[in-house]
Amino acid sequence: MKGLYILLAAILITSCQNQSKEDINKAKQASIDSMKVEINKQRVIDSMKTEMAKIKEEQKVESQKVVVVHEQAANGNATTTTTTKKKGWSATAKGAVIGAGVGAATGAIVSKKKGEGAIIGGLAGAALGTGTGAVIDSKNKKKE
């Protein structure tokens, strides 16, 4: 009788192991399939990002082109030259953003009421940064 119980227990254990191996294999295959789907989705996303970057770069180059026309009085021919001008943030905008960030951080650190201090500091910093940036912009215009 004991032998029969041992035999049944051994059969039960081995059949459960086979079932669990099948379940593990199915789970692995499902995981692999879902990873393949995600990889394909990511490829599409990456290709779209690449195309969008190309389009933005082309638009940026087009917006930076300036046409300069030189007229020559001697022979009556006109020549056209295309040059690119670099566009970016003005010193006023940079000053405002940097001032607001530094002012907000300082206000939050110094004040007992963190939120209120950050708001007041940010506004004060933005005002000072804007003023400083405007001075820098005016000096740069005078140089040109």
Side-chain angles (χ1 to χ4, degrees):
M1 192 68 165
K2 289 182 182 179
L4 183 61
Y5 287 131
I6 293 173
L7 181 63
L8 286 175
I11 291 173
L12 181 67
I13 290 173
T14 57
S15 66
C16 288
Q17 288 179 350
N18 288 338
Q19 184 66 24
S20 66
K21 286 181 183 178
E22 289 177 13
D23 291 340
I24 290 172
N25 288 337
K26 286 180 183 178
K28 284 181 183 178
Q29 189 61 40
S31 178
I32 290 170
D33 291 342
S34 66
M35 288 171 56
K36 287 180 181 178
V37 169
E38 289 299 319
I39 289 170
N40 287 335
K41 285 182 185 177
Q42 192 61 40
R43 280 188 194 143
V44 172
I45 291 170
D46 290 343
S47 67
M48 290 302 293
K49 285 181 180 179
T50 303
E51 290 300 318
M52 291 302 292
K54 287 179 185 177
I55 291 170
K56 285 182 181 180
E57 186 65 30
E58 290 172 1
Q59 289 174 349
K60 183 178 175 183
V61 169
E62 285 296 321
S63 68
Q64 291 178 349
K65 288 185 178 177
V66 177
V67 176
V68 179
V69 176
H70 298 284
E71 292 186 20
Q72 297 175 350
N75 59 9
N77 292 336
T79 60
T80 305
T81 308
T82 304
T83 59
T84 59
K85 181 179 178 184
K86 183 179 178 184
K87 290 186 179 182
W89 283 33
S90 66
T92 305
K94 287 179 187 175
V97 171
I98 294 170
V102 171
T106 304
I109 293 170
V110 172
S111 177
K112 290 181 181 178
K113 296 180 181 178
K114 303 299 181 194
E116 188 176 309
I119 292 171
I120 294 171
L123 292 174
L128 289 173
T130 302
T132 305
V135 170
I136 293 171
D137 274 341
S138 65
K139 286 183 181 179
N140 288 340
K141 286 183 181 178
K142 287 179 183 177
K143 287 181 181 178
E144 293 176 359

